Amino acid sequence: MLDITPITPDFVAEVRGLDLRQALPASLFAEVEAALNRYAVLVLPGQAVNEAQQLAFARCFGPLEVSLGPSLYNAGRPRRLDDAGLSDISNLDETGDLLGKQDLRRLINLSNQLWHTDSSFKRTPASVSILSAQEVVREGGETEFADMRAAWDALPPQQQARLEELVAEHDYFHSRALTGFDAISVPDEWKQRMPPVPQKLVRVHPGSGRKSLYLASHIKRLYGLDDAASRALLDELMSFATLPRFVHQHHWHVDDVVIWDNRCTMHRGRPFDESQRRAMRRATVMDSAPTVPENWRAPAASSHTRAAQDA
Ligand code: OGA
Ligand code: MN
């Protein structure tokens, strides 16, 4: 039996009573899955997993994503981590030294400090992420999580009805540009490999049946709205969904493993003194299907909102 300590009745729980260095019996994994379906974020202290053990545990949830680093912006270059299946969430280079201020890897990872959900810029996004901490900073560098089910539940019904119809355009380069990364001059090959993708704005979580907002700083616009209306609505939703009452902050300790469900939460890293070392690695599970069908077509901006803009 797992030892589960909820932080709030429905969001974030601490989980003890298992050892991720060993293969989990199916019954124990079922308990982890049930806990994740209910709490959306699980904190597992004292799990000193190596890369292979972390990946093996992640595979219990389904097929894994391949990290973008080795396949795209760091292609062919030596990496700090051995396995290309893991994302390097650190401020260290391949030799273990601090990254320079202008290092591409640092600039790309800075977007992790914006509210987001992992890989929503992929047609089939991430379902579950599993982050393991090797080196932590004493101050700052927390990770915050926001409950998108609670945010959805708190919206007035008329607004819920409107939002349920909407589809958002998620773009990897949009969130990079927001943190100062020069997304204009990236190689064409990157842009072709990472084109903008549509995602539903409201999702139903398969494990709980609960609806949630599906928001991220990767969202560039909402289809069917003109730019001004789209930006205004996105900003309003982002501010609302990240009000303190929906947010939990995790302060890291070495060997913490944190599991979160990207389908119904957002997260962001908090700033820290970058002369300090911070090293984590993430295994990421792929969702089972795109959130909008392959044959979906973008609607034109509505005449109503266009008229409002012309006025
Ligand atoms: C991530 C992420 C934030 C952090 O690993 O996906 O966004 O605090 N991390 O490092
Ligand atoms: Mn992330």
Side-chain angles (χ1 to χ4, degrees):
M1 275 285 281
L2 288 184
D3 172 5
I4 299 176
T5 313
I7 304 298
T8 73
D10 288 312
F11 189 50
V12 190
E14 277 190 15
V15 176
R16 292 184 174 76
L18 77 176
D19 181 352
L20 297 186
R21 293 171 304 183
Q22 278 155 26
L24 289 192
S27 61
L28 209 53
F29 178 71
E31 287 186 52
V32 173
E33 222 177 6
L36 189 62
N37 285 337
R38 167 147 188 193
Y39 299 105
V41 179
L42 303 178
V43 176
L44 288 69
Q47 301 285 349
V49 284
N50 64 26
E51 292 189 17
Q53 291 158 346
Q54 183 179 353
L55 286 162
F57 172 62
R59 278 191 202 100
C60 297
F61 291 92
L64 302 189
E65 275 189 358
V66 171
S67 170
L68 269 181
S71 65
L72 201 65
Y73 57 85
N74 217 22
R77 298 209 347 230
R79 290 186 89 217
R80 186 179 73 87
L81 302 177
D82 293 328
D83 201 300
L86 290 162
S87 295
D88 190 351
I89 308 295
S90 78
N91 59 351
L92 307 178
D93 69 13
E94 68 282 4
T95 68
D97 290 339
L98 289 170
L99 291 173
K101 274 270 179 225
Q102 290 307 318
D103 193 294
L104 202 58
R105 292 165 286 188
R106 173 181 175 274
L107 296 174
I108 282 179
N109 273 344
L110 263 188
S111 303
N112 284 339
Q113 295 186 5
L114 304 177
W115 282 112
H116 68 283
T117 181
D118 290 333
S119 296
S120 67
F121 44 74
K122 294 181 182 171
R123 193 74 214 233
T124 297
S127 53
V128 175
S129 291
I130 297 159
L131 189 57
S132 147
Q134 286 72 55
E135 296 184 66
V136 302
V137 291
R138 208 145 23 96
E139 255 190 327
E142 302 89 354
T143 305
E144 291 183 336
F145 296 92
D147 187 348
M148 294 299 100
R149 307 160 305 175
W152 168 261
D153 290 346
L155 288 169
Q158 320 84 281
Q159 189 166 18
Q160 288 181 334
R162 175 179 180 224
L163 299 180
E164 261 184 312
E165 305 299 317
L166 292 176
V167 174
E169 182 182 68
H170 293 238
D171 185 342
Y172 178 77
F173 296 107
H174 179 70
S175 41
R176 304 312 114 172
L178 291 177
T179 49
F181 176 74
D182 178 6
I184 308 279
S185 42
V186 298
D188 278 346
E189 192 217 329
W190 295 17
K191 289 186 190 156
Q192 279 153 23
R193 295 243 331 254
M194 302 293 295
V197 300
Q199 303 286 2
K200 281 191 173 172
L201 190 61
V202 180
R203 302 183 65 174
V204 179
H205 188 273
S208 65
R210 293 185 66 181
K211 283 189 184 166
S212 66
L213 288 171
Y214 193 52
L215 288 173
S217 299
H218 308 313
I219 300 182
K220 197 169 170 183
R221 65 186 174 118
L222 295 164
Y223 292 105
L225 300 187
D226 69 60
D227 286 350
S230 163
R231 188 39 52 202
L233 181 53
L234 285 170
D235 288 350
E236 181 194 324
L237 288 175
M238 270 293 203
S239 312
F240 178 73
T242 57
L243 286 173
R245 64 181 153 131
F246 303 126
V247 172
H248 169 79
Q249 186 180 75
H250 178 65
H251 180 80
W252 288 92
H253 295 94
V254 171
D255 291 338
D256 280 349
V257 164
V258 176
I259 310 173
W260 63 86
D261 195 321
N262 289 292
R263 296 166 292 190
C264 59
T265 60
M266 279 201 291
H267 61 279
R268 67 170 177 180
R270 300 303 288 149
F272 58 96
D273 172 359
E274 290 190 54
S275 69
Q276 307 290 304
R277 303 165 61 88
R278 182 178 190 262
M280 323 218 236
R281 48 175 138 84
R282 193 187 79 207
T284 319
V285 185
M286 231 167 78
D287 207 347
S288 51
T291 65
V292 294
E294 291 292 354
N295 61 2
W296 180 86
R297 290 285 165 267
S302 78
S303 55
H304 170 71
T305 46
R306 248 188 268 135
Q309 191 186 36
D310 291 346

